[in-house]
Amino acid sequence: WDAMFLLAGANAALYARTTRGELRSPLGLWRRRGFFSAAPMATLAIVLVSAYGVLETSNVTLIDLTMLTRGIIHWRDAALWRIEAPLFALLERMPLNVGFFDWLYHTSWLVLLAVCCSFVIKERNVRLLLHFCLGMILTFFIGSLAGSIDPVMGPAFFKPEHFRYVSHSVTGLMMRSIATTMTLAPQEMMKSGILVGGVAAMPSLHLALVTVTTFWLSRMWRWTLIVTLPWVGLIWLATLALGWHYELDGVGGILLALL
């Protein structure tokens, strides 16, 4: 999917060069054709096909599980839990608003999508836009590779008895579905039709992509840090309170984003 977009962009640039005798950026060419404003159905088609592509990446998890069963890689949760058990014991005793953290954690993906779309449609500095997009892509793929090499389930999958308080939330429903799917045979898992998580918690891609977005927003508008820095902190706390990630997963995600 990424290669197809790169090829489309290269062809658009080549077309502009050969027909006008000048190199016009692919983004500029798309704007000139009114792709984003005059063709909402084309944009919707891209979103739907992308969503289907994301669902199909559950096969990547099958590769991870195969390497685990063959002893090529090993779970790292036991070591992380020994370090961070006191932190989760403290969170377990706190009167957490699970509904708020649940909403914050899941809607952050919608915020990321909205920011990405706004960048592509509105940003006039093509170099800045290119750096932002490359940053998001590299962060995602490097983080996914790191998770495959050094797999971590996440605290709520490793010690579910400590996270019973999330059982009635959207997170709890998702975790039960993921845990059930991961017990299936590979052939059945491929038919499940959901994105299988529960393997690559380290580094936290959730926090990494939010941090990349925060950085590039600040390059455009410095004042956004007033909003985005507390947002990053709350999302980090949400990943811990809901049991998706360890604290060190968040550290790894932020370091990856800064890299």
Side-chain angles (χ1 to χ4, degrees):
W1 187 240
D2 294 329
M4 190 187 76
F5 265 117
L6 292 172
L7 185 62
N11 286 334
L14 181 63
Y15 170 79
R17 175 181 290 176
T18 54
T19 56
R20 295 182 178 84
E22 61 179 358
L23 178 60
R24 188 183 300 274
S25 74
L27 180 62
L29 191 65
W30 279 27
R31 286 196 183 119
R32 188 183 181 113
R33 300 297 182 199
F35 180 86
F36 294 102
S37 57
M41 293 307 295
T43 306
L44 177 61
I46 287 177
V47 171
L48 292 176
V49 173
S50 297
Y52 177 77
V54 167
L55 291 176
E56 287 300 311
T57 60
S58 60
N59 293 331
V60 175
T61 301
L62 291 176
I63 296 173
D64 298 339
L65 293 176
T66 301
M67 290 194 295
L68 282 164
T69 55
R70 294 183 180 180
I72 300 172
I73 54 177
H74 303 278
W75 292 116
R76 303 297 184 187
D77 289 79
L80 290 173
W81 185 264
R82 282 196 297 271
I83 297 171
E84 301 189 20
L87 170 63
F88 289 106
L90 175 63
L91 289 174
E92 198 174 1
R93 293 193 298 268
M94 292 177 64
L96 298 171
N97 188 331
V98 175
F100 169 73
F101 285 123
D102 204 30
W103 171 83
L104 183 71
Y105 182 86
H106 295 293
T107 56
S108 63
W109 292 116
L110 297 178
V111 173
L112 283 175
L113 180 61
V115 170
C116 289
C117 290
S118 299
F119 260 119
V120 171
I121 296 171
K122 298 295 185 182
E123 178 53 37
R124 295 296 182 250
N125 185 333
V126 176
R127 183 178 295 275
L128 186 72
L129 178 66
L130 176 64
H131 290 172
F132 167 72
C133 291
L134 286 177
M136 295 290 278
I137 291 170
L138 289 173
T139 298
F140 179 82
F141 281 108
I142 294 173
S144 299
L145 177 61
S148 296
I149 296 172
D150 195 41
V152 174
M153 297 181 204
F157 291 97
F158 182 64
K159 294 285 186 179
E161 64 272 16
H162 292 274
F163 295 91
R164 293 191 185 96
Y165 59 84
V166 305
S167 59
H168 298 294
S169 64
V170 174
T171 288
L173 179 64
M174 290 179 64
M175 287 179 172
R176 286 193 295 273
S177 177
I178 291 170
T180 301
T181 303
M182 289 183 69
T183 62
L184 299 175
Q187 296 84 351
E188 294 301 316
M189 188 184 294
M190 291 177 67
K191 299 175 185 176
S192 65
I194 68 169
L195 179 62
V196 184
V199 174
M202 164 65 87
S204 169
L205 282 176
H206 204 127
L207 204 55
L209 295 176
V210 165
T211 303
V212 170
T213 303
T214 295
F215 173 79
W216 287 107
L217 275 176
S218 70
R219 290 293 300 272
M220 288 180 60
W221 305 293
R222 187 59 59 91
W223 62 266
T224 57
L225 289 172
I226 300 174
V227 177
T228 54
L229 285 180
W231 180 53
V232 171
L234 283 172
I235 288 177
W236 194 353
L237 181 57
T239 66
L240 299 173
L242 298 174
W244 287 109
H245 292 284
Y246 299 95
E247 185 177 15
L248 288 176
D249 295 345
V251 173
I254 291 174
L255 290 177
L256 172 61
L258 295 177
L259 175 64

